[in-house]
Amino acid sequence: MSPGRFITLEGGEGAGKSTQLRALAAALRARAIDVVETREPGGSEGAEAIRALLLTGRADRWSPRAEALLFAAARADHIEKTIRPALKRGAWVLSDRFLDSSRAYQGQGELTDADIMTLHRIGSAGYLPDRTLLLTLPEEEATGRAKARDGDVSDRIGGRASDFHRAVANAFTRFARDETDRVHAVDASGPAEVVTVRLLEAIEDLLP
Ligand code: Z5A
Protein backbone atom coordinates (compact mmCIF):
# COMPACT_ATOMS: atom_id res chain seq x y z
CA MET A 1 0.00 0.00 0.00
CA SER A 2 1.41 3.42 -0.92
CA PRO A 3 1.38 5.91 1.96
CA GLY A 4 -1.46 8.35 2.46
CA ARG A 5 -0.56 12.00 2.03
CA PHE A 6 -1.87 15.09 3.72
CA ILE A 7 -2.09 18.11 1.40
CA THR A 8 -3.45 21.51 2.41
CA LEU A 9 -4.59 24.42 0.24
CA GLU A 10 -4.08 27.89 1.64
CA GLY A 11 -4.50 31.48 0.53
CA GLY A 12 -6.81 34.45 0.92
CA GLU A 13 -10.53 34.60 0.36
CA GLY A 14 -11.52 34.13 -3.29
CA ALA A 15 -8.17 32.65 -4.39
CA GLY A 16 -9.95 29.52 -5.64
CA LYS A 17 -9.08 27.02 -2.91
CA SER A 18 -12.46 25.23 -2.86
CA THR A 19 -12.64 25.09 -6.67
CA GLN A 20 -9.11 23.69 -6.89
CA LEU A 21 -9.59 21.24 -4.05
CA ARG A 22 -12.45 19.61 -5.99
CA ALA A 23 -10.45 19.59 -9.24
CA LEU A 24 -7.33 18.18 -7.57
CA ALA A 25 -9.41 15.46 -5.87
CA ALA A 26 -10.90 14.48 -9.25
CA ALA A 27 -7.45 14.37 -10.87
CA LEU A 28 -6.10 12.15 -8.09
CA ARG A 29 -9.12 9.84 -8.20
CA ALA A 30 -8.53 9.43 -11.94
CA ARG A 31 -5.15 7.96 -10.89
CA ALA A 32 -6.97 5.46 -8.65
CA ILE A 33 -6.01 7.29 -5.44
CA ASP A 34 -8.47 7.17 -2.53
CA VAL A 35 -9.12 10.85 -1.68
CA VAL A 36 -10.83 12.50 1.29
CA GLU A 37 -11.89 16.14 0.77
CA THR A 38 -12.16 18.19 3.91
CA ARG A 39 -11.97 21.77 5.17
CA GLU A 40 -11.17 24.01 8.11
CA PRO A 41 -12.60 25.23 10.29
CA GLY A 42 -14.61 22.01 10.24
CA GLY A 43 -14.09 18.57 8.74
CA SER A 44 -15.45 16.52 11.66
CA GLU A 45 -18.73 16.70 13.56
CA GLY A 46 -17.26 18.59 16.51
CA ALA A 47 -15.16 20.89 14.36
CA GLU A 48 -18.15 21.79 12.16
CA ALA A 49 -20.04 22.82 15.32
CA ILE A 50 -17.08 25.04 16.28
CA ARG A 51 -17.03 26.45 12.70
CA ALA A 52 -20.55 27.81 13.19
CA LEU A 53 -19.43 29.50 16.43
CA LEU A 54 -16.36 31.01 14.73
CA LEU A 55 -17.81 32.31 11.49
CA THR A 56 -21.16 33.73 12.57
CA GLY A 57 -22.18 36.52 14.91
CA ARG A 58 -20.75 39.91 15.70
CA ALA A 59 -17.19 40.85 14.77
CA ASP A 60 -16.33 41.09 18.49
CA ARG A 61 -18.01 37.82 19.47
CA TRP A 62 -14.63 36.30 20.45
CA SER A 63 -11.47 37.87 21.80
CA PRO A 64 -8.33 37.13 19.71
CA ARG A 65 -7.23 34.56 22.33
CA ALA A 66 -10.58 32.79 22.50
CA GLU A 67 -10.76 32.73 18.70
CA ALA A 68 -7.29 31.15 18.37
CA LEU A 69 -8.17 28.51 20.99
CA LEU A 70 -11.40 27.63 19.18
CA PHE A 71 -9.53 27.16 15.87
CA ALA A 72 -6.95 24.98 17.66
CA ALA A 73 -9.67 22.90 19.34
CA ALA A 74 -11.51 22.40 16.04
CA ARG A 75 -8.22 21.34 14.41
CA ALA A 76 -7.44 18.81 17.16
CA ASP A 77 -10.84 17.14 16.60
CA HIS A 78 -10.47 17.29 12.80
CA ILE A 79 -7.07 15.56 12.90
CA GLU A 80 -8.17 12.93 15.39
CA LYS A 81 -11.53 12.05 13.84
CA THR A 82 -11.01 12.61 10.10
CA ILE A 83 -7.41 13.13 8.99
CA ARG A 84 -5.50 10.43 10.90
CA PRO A 85 -8.01 7.61 10.23
CA ALA A 86 -8.02 8.40 6.49
CA LEU A 87 -4.22 8.49 6.29
CA LYS A 88 -4.02 5.25 8.22
CA ARG A 89 -5.99 3.43 5.54
CA GLY A 90 -3.69 4.91 2.84
CA ALA A 91 -6.01 7.68 1.57
CA TRP A 92 -4.87 11.13 0.51
CA VAL A 93 -6.45 13.93 2.53
CA LEU A 94 -6.95 17.31 0.86
CA SER A 95 -7.88 20.10 3.25
CA ASP A 96 -9.23 23.53 2.31
CA ARG A 97 -7.18 25.54 4.88
CA PHE A 98 -5.31 24.21 7.96
CA LEU A 99 -2.71 25.45 10.47
CA ASP A 100 -1.16 28.11 8.20
CA SER A 101 -4.52 29.93 8.18
CA SER A 102 -4.36 30.20 11.98
CA ARG A 103 -0.77 31.45 11.73
CA ALA A 104 -1.75 34.06 9.10
CA TYR A 105 -5.12 35.17 10.54
CA GLN A 106 -4.68 34.74 14.32
CA GLY A 107 -0.87 34.86 14.68
CA GLN A 108 0.04 38.42 13.97
CA GLY A 109 -1.92 40.61 16.32
CA GLU A 110 -2.28 40.02 20.03
CA LEU A 111 -0.80 36.53 19.49
CA THR A 112 2.42 35.69 17.65
CA ASP A 113 3.31 32.91 15.23
CA ALA A 114 5.12 31.17 18.12
CA ASP A 115 1.91 31.33 20.21
CA ILE A 116 -0.09 29.66 17.42
CA MET A 117 2.57 26.95 17.03
CA THR A 118 2.43 26.36 20.80
CA LEU A 119 -1.35 25.93 20.65
CA HIS A 120 -0.86 23.51 17.75
CA ARG A 121 1.71 21.53 19.75
CA ILE A 122 -0.68 21.25 22.67
CA GLY A 123 -3.77 20.53 20.55
CA SER A 124 -2.36 18.38 17.77
CA ALA A 125 1.19 17.37 18.74
CA GLY A 126 2.51 19.83 16.13
CA TYR A 127 1.25 17.74 13.23
CA LEU A 128 2.13 19.23 9.79
CA PRO A 129 0.97 18.53 6.21
CA ASP A 130 3.20 16.70 3.71
CA ARG A 131 2.70 19.64 1.33
CA THR A 132 0.95 22.99 1.52
CA LEU A 133 -0.13 24.63 -1.73
CA LEU A 134 -0.40 28.39 -1.34
CA LEU A 135 -2.68 29.86 -4.01
CA THR A 136 -1.50 33.36 -4.87
CA LEU A 137 -3.64 35.93 -6.65
CA PRO A 138 -3.45 39.74 -6.83
CA GLU A 139 -5.73 41.34 -4.23
CA GLU A 140 -8.13 42.96 -6.75
CA GLU A 141 -8.64 39.68 -8.63
CA ALA A 142 -9.35 37.72 -5.43
CA THR A 143 -11.75 40.39 -4.17
CA GLY A 144 -13.45 40.43 -7.58
CA ARG A 145 -13.98 36.66 -7.54
CA ALA A 146 -15.32 36.68 -3.96
CA LYS A 147 -17.61 39.65 -4.70
CA ALA A 148 -18.95 38.07 -7.92
CA ARG A 149 -19.94 35.06 -5.83
CA ASP A 150 -21.08 36.58 -2.51
CA GLY A 151 -21.92 40.23 -3.28
CA ASP A 152 -21.17 42.26 -0.16
CA VAL A 153 -21.97 39.43 2.29
CA SER A 154 -19.00 38.03 4.23
CA ASP A 155 -18.38 35.94 7.35
CA ARG A 156 -17.04 37.24 10.71
CA ILE A 157 -13.42 37.02 9.56
CA GLY A 158 -13.76 37.66 5.81
CA GLY A 159 -15.47 40.99 6.63
CA ARG A 160 -12.37 42.50 8.28
CA ALA A 161 -10.59 45.56 6.79
CA SER A 162 -8.42 45.25 3.69
CA ASP A 163 -5.29 46.08 5.76
CA PHE A 164 -5.90 42.95 7.79
CA HIS A 165 -6.23 40.81 4.63
CA ARG A 166 -3.06 42.37 3.20
CA ALA A 167 -1.17 41.39 6.36
CA VAL A 168 -2.59 37.86 6.03
CA ALA A 169 -1.34 37.66 2.41
CA ASN A 170 2.13 38.87 3.52
CA ALA A 171 2.25 36.23 6.25
CA PHE A 172 1.42 33.46 3.75
CA THR A 173 4.19 34.75 1.45
CA ARG A 174 6.61 34.59 4.38
CA PHE A 175 5.71 30.96 5.12
CA ALA A 176 6.38 30.01 1.46
CA ARG A 177 9.72 31.83 1.57
CA ASP A 178 10.84 30.34 4.92
CA GLU A 179 9.45 26.79 4.65
CA THR A 180 10.33 25.89 1.07
CA ASP A 181 10.17 22.09 1.56
CA ARG A 182 6.55 22.12 2.71
CA VAL A 183 4.93 25.32 1.41
CA HIS A 184 4.84 25.79 -2.37
CA ALA A 185 3.37 29.01 -3.80
CA VAL A 186 1.26 28.42 -6.91
CA ASP A 187 -0.01 31.15 -9.26
CA ALA A 188 -3.83 30.98 -9.05
CA SER A 189 -4.52 33.37 -11.94
CA GLY A 190 -5.94 32.29 -15.28
CA PRO A 191 -8.44 29.57 -16.14
CA ALA A 192 -9.20 27.01 -13.39
CA GLU A 193 -7.96 24.06 -15.51
CA VAL A 194 -4.56 25.73 -15.93
CA VAL A 195 -4.28 26.32 -12.18
CA THR A 196 -5.06 22.63 -11.55
CA VAL A 197 -2.15 21.60 -13.82
CA ARG A 198 0.17 23.89 -11.82
CA LEU A 199 -1.02 22.34 -8.56
CA LEU A 200 -0.47 18.80 -9.86
CA GLU A 201 3.09 19.78 -10.80
CA ALA A 202 3.61 21.03 -7.25
CA ILE A 203 2.80 17.58 -5.79
CA GLU A 204 4.29 15.44 -8.54
CA ASP A 205 7.15 14.23 -6.33
CA LEU A 206 4.62 12.81 -3.83
CA LEU A 207 2.55 10.83 -6.35
CA PRO A 208 2.80 7.03 -6.24
N1 Z5A B 1 -9.82 31.11 9.21
C1 Z5A B 1 -9.05 31.64 10.21
O1 Z5A B 1 -9.13 32.83 10.51
N2 Z5A B 1 -8.19 30.80 10.89
C2 Z5A B 1 -8.08 29.48 10.61
O2 Z5A B 1 -7.31 28.77 11.26
C3 Z5A B 1 -8.89 28.96 9.56
C4 Z5A B 1 -9.74 29.80 8.88
C5 Z5A B 1 -8.79 27.50 9.22
C6 Z5A B 1 -13.13 30.48 6.49
O3 Z5A B 1 -13.96 30.86 5.53
C7 Z5A B 1 -12.68 31.74 7.22
O4 Z5A B 1 -12.01 31.34 8.38
C8 Z5A B 1 -11.69 32.50 6.37
C9 Z5A B 1 -10.35 32.38 7.12
C10 Z5A B 1 -10.76 32.01 8.50
N3 Z5A B 1 -12.10 33.88 6.35
N4 Z5A B 1 -11.56 34.69 5.53
N5 Z5A B 1 -11.07 35.37 4.83
P1 Z5A B 1 -14.46 29.93 4.35
O5 Z5A B 1 -13.86 28.57 4.43
O6 Z5A B 1 -15.93 29.99 4.35
O7 Z5A B 1 -13.96 30.79 3.11
P2 Z5A B 1 -12.52 31.01 2.49
O8 Z5A B 1 -11.61 29.95 2.97
O9 Z5A B 1 -12.10 32.39 2.73
O10 Z5A B 1 -12.70 30.69 0.99
P3 Z5A B 1 -13.62 31.29 -0.14
O11 Z5A B 1 -14.00 32.70 0.01
O12 Z5A B 1 -14.75 30.31 -0.29
O13 Z5A B 1 -12.63 31.30 -1.34
P4 Z5A B 1 -11.89 30.13 -2.11
O14 Z5A B 1 -12.31 28.76 -1.60
O15 Z5A B 1 -10.46 30.42 -2.11
O16 Z5A B 1 -12.41 30.36 -3.59
P5 Z5A B 1 -13.54 29.56 -4.45
O17 Z5A B 1 -14.80 29.41 -3.64
O18 Z5A B 1 -12.96 28.33 -5.02
O19 Z5A B 1 -13.68 30.60 -5.62
C11 Z5A B 1 -14.24 31.88 -5.41
C12 Z5A B 1 -15.05 32.28 -6.66
O20 Z5A B 1 -14.16 32.43 -7.77
C13 Z5A B 1 -16.08 31.22 -7.09
O21 Z5A B 1 -17.21 31.86 -7.61
C14 Z5A B 1 -15.35 30.45 -8.20
O22 Z5A B 1 -16.25 29.88 -9.13
C15 Z5A B 1 -14.49 31.53 -8.82
N6 Z5A B 1 -13.23 31.01 -9.36
C16 Z5A B 1 -12.45 30.04 -8.83
N7 Z5A B 1 -11.37 29.83 -9.61
C17 Z5A B 1 -11.45 30.69 -10.63
C18 Z5A B 1 -10.63 30.96 -11.78
N8 Z5A B 1 -9.49 30.28 -12.00
N9 Z5A B 1 -11.00 31.93 -12.61
C19 Z5A B 1 -12.14 32.64 -12.40
N10 Z5A B 1 -12.99 32.43 -11.36
C20 Z5A B 1 -12.64 31.46 -10.48
Side-chain angles (χ1 to χ4, degrees):
M1 188 174 77
S2 59
R5 300 286 190 185
F6 179 38
I7 311 291
T8 60
L9 271 66
E10 297 279 8
E13 217 184 8
K17 298 176 299 299
S18 313
T19 305
Q20 290 304 326
L21 188 120
R22 289 191 295 272
L24 204 52
L28 293 174
R29 285 186 186 117
R31 295 166 191 240
I33 294 173
D34 179 8
V35 181
V36 172
E37 295 174 52
T38 188
R39 68 171 182 183
E40 287 207 352
S44 61
E45 193 183 338
E48 287 291 332
I50 298 174
R51 177 185 176 93
L53 295 173
L54 277 164
L55 298 186
T56 61
R58 287 163 46 122
D60 62 355
R61 182 178 193 180
W62 306 107
S63 72
R65 285 164 195 276
E67 184 176 288
L69 284 161
L70 283 168
F71 275 112
R75 185 160 302 126
D77 194 64
H78 184 207
I79 291 173
E80 197 179 311
K81 304 278 176 42
T82 302
I83 297 172
R84 283 204 190 280
L87 292 172
K88 206 168 165 196
R89 67 165 202 266
W92 280 50
V93 179
L94 307 184
S95 184
D96 188 344
R97 296 193 182 277
F98 188 68
L99 171 70
D100 296 301
S101 282
S102 282
R103 298 173 68 198
Y105 285 85
Q106 281 73 48
Q108 22 168 15
E110 199 168 320
L111 297 178
T112 63
D113 191 48
D115 291 329
I116 300 300
M117 294 306 278
T118 299
L119 290 183
H120 188 55
R121 181 175 55 73
I122 294 167
S124 303
Y127 182 63
L128 291 176
D130 293 299
R131 180 78 30 93
T132 295
L133 304 171
L134 168 63
L135 273 66
T136 62
L137 194 65
E139 190 181 332
E140 318 75 59
E141 257 183 85
T143 312
R145 285 186 191 177
K147 268 217 156 87
R149 188 194 54 190
D150 304 331
D152 284 327
V153 180
S154 48
D155 61 52
R156 253 192 80 248
I157 295 172
R160 289 179 187 167
S162 50
D163 277 3
F164 174 79
H165 290 289
R166 221 160 284 143
V168 165
N170 290 338
F172 278 132
T173 305
R174 242 184 0 259
F175 304 156
R177 190 194 59 209
D178 296 347
E179 296 163 59
T180 48
D181 278 355
R182 178 175 68 85
V183 186
H184 292 207
V186 176
D187 176 9
S189 62
E193 312 78 61
V194 175
V195 180
T196 309
V197 171
R198 292 183 195 129
L199 291 169
L200 278 167
E201 280 168 7
I203 56 169
E204 205 169 1
D205 58 313
L206 301 178
L207 290 169

